[in-house]
Amino acid sequence: MSKISIIIPAYNAEKTIIETWTSIQNQTYSDWEVIVINDGSTDQTLTILQTIDDPRLKLFSYTNAGLPIARNRGLAEATGDYIAFLDADDLWMPDKLERQLAALERHPEAGVAYSWVIFFNSEKNQQSLGHPHDFEGNVYPALLLNNFLGNGSNPLVSRKAVQSVGDFDPTFPHCADWDYYLRLAVQWSFVLVPQHQILYRQSVGSMTSKCDNIEHQLLTMVEKQFTTIAPEEYQGLKPQSLAWIYEYCTQQYLEYGRDRQDIERAGQKLAQAIRLHPPIIFQEYGRSLLRWLIKRWILTRFSPHIKPSI
């Protein structure tokens, strides 16, 4: 039985799965098993995975059911004392598992170890360092405000912690990881490995067509937290949590927007964020405001008939 079980949901990942697998093979800690859930891929993902000759790889195929259910299927097969999740297009630095495991072993009261994130775009050959948060111990109030772990490929979680919270919630396919981390944080301490160890791939493809659905999922998930889970002393954080969601939506429209309507909607989401939590404009999120103003200036410069949203 391996010490760490690594769960990889894979759907049409033929372009990235070998690079992801290589980043696991390059880990300085080697007592692991990899459980790949082929989630109904219609490309060459399964064929590629079947060429890998390593007894530590366990491959299972199902009809497509989405990311949360694929992770849950992986959990059902995992045998390790610790569980790591890795999406089929993300990468790890070589010492990710070693350092996160050491952090958990130094702090047996903790259930989750996490690291900092590097955002990268392989198509544009670009990368940027994520904000280095330093939250440890009881991170629940900080995690209510935003998902500072950043993605589903970050944490190493003890089996006891996994068993205490159960499965990922398939109701929120876009934010099931944030929901899962919040449920963990209610019961378990978190420890930080203060290094950028997770490489999170960002696609150049447009996301604006999905933004309404993503926003709905985020708002529903946060409502669930504050209605059924968050203790009374944290209820006052709800406006800030909602403001972060609208600021996140602002970023999506600014990053992936292709027309004037997308820029207009970015302004509307930013206005909602500011109304809910005015100090947001002076925090790091204020960069979104600057970006919006620049795009807005360019837009109105060439289309002066358009009226500002805020």
Side-chain angles (χ1 to χ4, degrees):
M1 185 173 68
S2 301
K3 185 84 167 179
I4 297 176
S5 296
I6 303 167
I7 297 172
I8 303 179
Y11 174 70
N12 288 350
E14 63 180 9
K15 295 180 180 179
T16 60
I17 190 63
I18 287 299
E19 189 178 9
T20 298
W21 168 256
T22 300
S23 82
I24 298 173
Q25 284 188 310
N26 291 339
Q27 290 295 301
T28 55
Y29 184 85
S30 59
D31 186 12
W32 44 258
E33 64 175 1
V34 173
I35 300 166
V36 177
I37 304 299
N38 174 42
D39 189 33
S41 296
T42 57
D43 63 359
Q44 295 301 305
T45 298
L46 181 59
T47 301
I48 293 170
L49 287 166
Q50 289 172 334
T51 67
I52 297 174
D53 183 18
D54 191 317
R56 295 173 295 180
L57 171 63
K58 300 177 181 179
L59 178 59
F60 302 88
S61 289
Y62 296 88
T63 57
N64 180 258
L67 187 61
I69 291 178
R71 286 176 179 158
N72 293 338
R73 287 169 169 166
L75 285 172
E77 303 292 344
T79 64
D81 296 325
Y82 298 88
I83 311 296
F85 303 97
L86 179 59
D87 289 348
D89 56 351
D90 294 340
L91 308 171
W92 287 339
M93 289 298 191
D95 60 351
K96 188 268 189 188
L97 291 179
E98 178 183 2
R99 291 188 178 275
Q100 288 188 344
L101 178 60
L104 286 175
E105 290 181 335
R106 287 195 305 270
H107 300 276
E109 78 286 355
V112 180
Y114 76 98
S115 307
W116 296 331
V117 178
I118 301 170
F119 298 93
F120 80 104
N121 186 321
S122 57
E123 294 171 328
K124 290 186 176 181
N125 196 28
Q126 295 174 345
Q127 69 177 36
S128 60
L129 299 181
H131 184 73
H133 297 287
D134 59 358
F135 304 117
E136 291 192 285
N138 176 21
V139 305
Y140 184 69
L143 196 55
L144 273 173
L145 297 183
N146 67 76
N147 181 13
F148 58 80
L149 274 72
N151 57 82
S153 300
N154 193 332
L156 180 67
V157 188
S158 72
R159 173 169 286 277
K160 290 182 179 179
V162 167
Q163 291 172 337
S164 72
V165 299
D167 288 345
F168 286 83
D169 189 342
T171 308
F172 317 112
H174 178 76
C175 54
D177 53 347
W178 188 16
D179 174 75
Y180 194 74
Y181 303 157
L182 281 164
R183 286 154 51 205
L184 285 165
V186 170
Q187 302 186 49
W188 296 90
S189 296
F190 282 42
V191 291
L192 168 67
V193 174
Q195 293 184 347
H196 289 89
Q197 294 185 307
I198 290 82
L199 289 89
Y200 177 65
R201 191 187 304 265
Q202 295 182 301
S203 171
V204 299
S206 175
M207 288 184 61
T208 56
S209 62
K210 305 176 183 178
C211 277
D212 284 345
N213 185 37
I214 290 170
E215 178 183 330
H216 174 72
Q217 290 182 39
L218 288 165
L219 293 174
T220 303
M221 191 278 291
V222 166
E223 186 65 29
K224 164 191 164 182
Q225 285 292 325
F226 283 99
T227 301
T228 64
I229 299 176
E232 181 64 31
E233 62 264 32
Y234 299 141
Q235 291 297 315
L237 298 176
K238 187 175 181 179
Q240 288 178 254
S241 183
L242 294 174
W244 180 81
I245 291 173
Y246 288 119
E247 195 277 338
Y248 171 80
C249 292
T250 301
Q251 290 185 4
Q252 299 308 300
Y253 280 113
L254 290 175
E255 184 71 23
Y256 301 105
R258 293 294 183 266
D259 55 35
R260 290 175 294 178
Q261 185 179 9
D262 289 336
I263 304 305
E264 288 288 332
R265 299 189 75 179
Q268 294 165 6
K269 301 306 175 185
L270 185 59
Q272 288 176 283
I274 294 170
R275 281 194 293 268
L276 283 162
H277 185 62
I280 202 171
I281 198 171
F282 302 111
Q283 299 171 358
E284 61 180 285
Y285 306 109
R287 289 178 297 179
S288 291
L289 174 62
L290 179 60
R291 293 171 64 194
W292 180 78
L293 287 174
I294 292 172
K295 285 196 175 187
R296 186 65 185 171
W297 180 87
I298 294 172
L299 180 62
T300 54
R301 176 71 173 80
F302 294 100
S303 303
H305 62 282
I306 297 176
K307 297 179 181 180
S309 300
I310 57 173

